[in-house]
Amino acid sequence: MRGRGVRRPARVTVLTGDWRRIEEYGPFDLLVLDGGGQGKAPGDPPADVERLLVPGGTVVVDDFTPATGWPPLHEGRIDRTRLHWLEHPALRAVELRLAADPSTVVGTRLLV
């Protein structure tokens, strides 16, 4: 990206490939999960925010369909992935509707 004129702060690293590679770089102040570590796909466990986030750090979990009720549903079933993030004991999390069809879950790791 630097070759394209986009500047990043020195502390920002963009990784591609298997999301589990992030473990060697953590813990993070900000962790954005978009495409892995969300726990949405079989064989893809959710990222361990207690290991990957500093206390007070923020996780962003992208690509949800906005919930319209409680408990949240996906394809007619309880959305266990979304509940994992919204009810995680180490996080205070909220779902943010970004437009008519996408939403994101944003959580902050508790200090204690």
Side-chain angles (χ1 to χ4, degrees):
M1 291 191 75
R2 286 179 193 245
R4 296 184 191 155
V6 176
R7 292 181 180 239
R8 277 184 294 195
R11 292 183 50 205
V12 173
T13 301
V14 176
L15 299 175
T16 59
D18 188 341
W19 73 268
R20 290 170 190 88
R21 292 181 50 215
I22 65 174
E23 293 177 358
E24 61 193 75
Y25 295 89
F28 300 96
D29 296 314
L30 173 64
L31 177 60
V32 179
L33 298 172
D34 183 18
Q38 300 170 330
K40 291 182 180 180
D44 181 33
D48 182 352
V49 292
E50 292 180 85
R51 284 186 36 228
L52 292 172
L53 281 180
V54 298
T58 300
V59 62
V60 178
V61 186
D62 203 13
D63 296 330
F64 287 99
T65 301
T68 58
W70 194 263
L73 302 176
H74 180 70
E75 297 180 349
R77 295 182 165 128
I78 293 176
D79 189 342
R80 301 276 177 215
T81 300
R82 187 185 325 239
L83 286 176
H84 169 82
W85 297 106
L86 291 173
E87 297 180 338
H88 196 291
L91 296 174
R92 287 291 178 258
V94 65
E95 180 177 342
L96 302 174
R97 188 174 195 152
L98 304 176
D101 56 350
S103 68
T104 291
V105 173
V106 179
T108 301
R109 184 173 169 211
L110 299 175
L111 297 174
V112 179

